[in-house]
Amino acid sequence: MKNIIKAQLYQLKKEKIIYIIFGVVLLLECTTMAGEMDLAGSTETGGGIYAAKMGVYIMSIALMFGTMLTGLVCSSDFMDKTVHYEIMGGHERKNSFFGRAAVSLAAGTAGTMIISAVPVILCTLLYGWGDSIDFLGIFVRWLLSVFPVFRLVCEIVFLSCLIRNAYAVMGIAFFVSLTGDSIVQLMGNGSIHFLALGSLHAVFDCSPWMTGTLSGEKTLMLYDTAIHAETVAAAVVFSVVFGIFFLYLGYRFFAKDDLN
């Protein structure tokens, strides 16, 4: 498995499309941040408010990188028969599958988390953090979002084994990241954790409330960043269970596939 991982990491370094996707997604995040701050003007600015208001959107856009990278890592070698030659050359199927899955999980999750942090950091550098948002609460929510990201990457690994076409998987991953927020809203809160993006919704759901100053000249928007224990437990348990389940399904399908 070590050789498979090394080969995939080396291939990732050479893939120009990975750098292009990373740059485009990061540019999209920063452009959106600039637009939001411009619309807010001087009344609502700051990295804290931006993270509280736009947390789900930030992560949804960042997921484009992680999921599309996973599609490329896990599917491209089917297209040029590299996986077939690996098995014919004596590599175990288990090593071929989990080697690619490990690279996807590590690089995809890390890249997604980095991209999601950049616009908030940039906004904080430009406007400050703000007084109405607790930093620790937002930071804990950001760390917790690793679990739904892990789950979605596992699901894309499974999808890659089914479709075996990097461009098709990358297209589906892009579509899911772009429209997942709307799908979650249509489903409602009753089954929110049955989707990875639903768990992200729950994790970044900071309830806002308004208060006025004594003079009545200014209205302040405050956000409750404390996260409930049941939300943490549901996000972690659903993400880990579904993630492992889809990895298992992907491996079972890969183990029985004739690779033709």
Side-chain angles (χ1 to χ4, degrees), residues 1 4 78 83-84 86-88 90-100 164 251-260:
M1 186 185 299
I4 300 293
F78 284 108
V83 175
H84 178 78
E86 281 179 4
I87 304 304
M88 293 295 291
H91 288 281
E92 296 184 9
R93 291 191 177 223
K94 177 177 66 176
N95 293 337
S96 292
F97 175 81
F98 285 106
R100 288 173 172 81
R164 301 192 304 182
Y251 172 66
R252 295 306 303 168
F253 185 84
F254 180 80
K256 296 181 179 181
D257 192 5
D258 60 9
L259 302 179
N260 291 321

Side-chain angles (χ1 to χ4, degrees), residues 149-164:
V149 171
F150 161 83
R151 170 185 168 180
L152 190 56
V153 170
C154 290
E155 291 171 353
I156 298 298
V157 170
F158 165 70
L159 192 64
S160 298
C161 292
L162 291 181
I163 298 178
R164 301 192 304 182

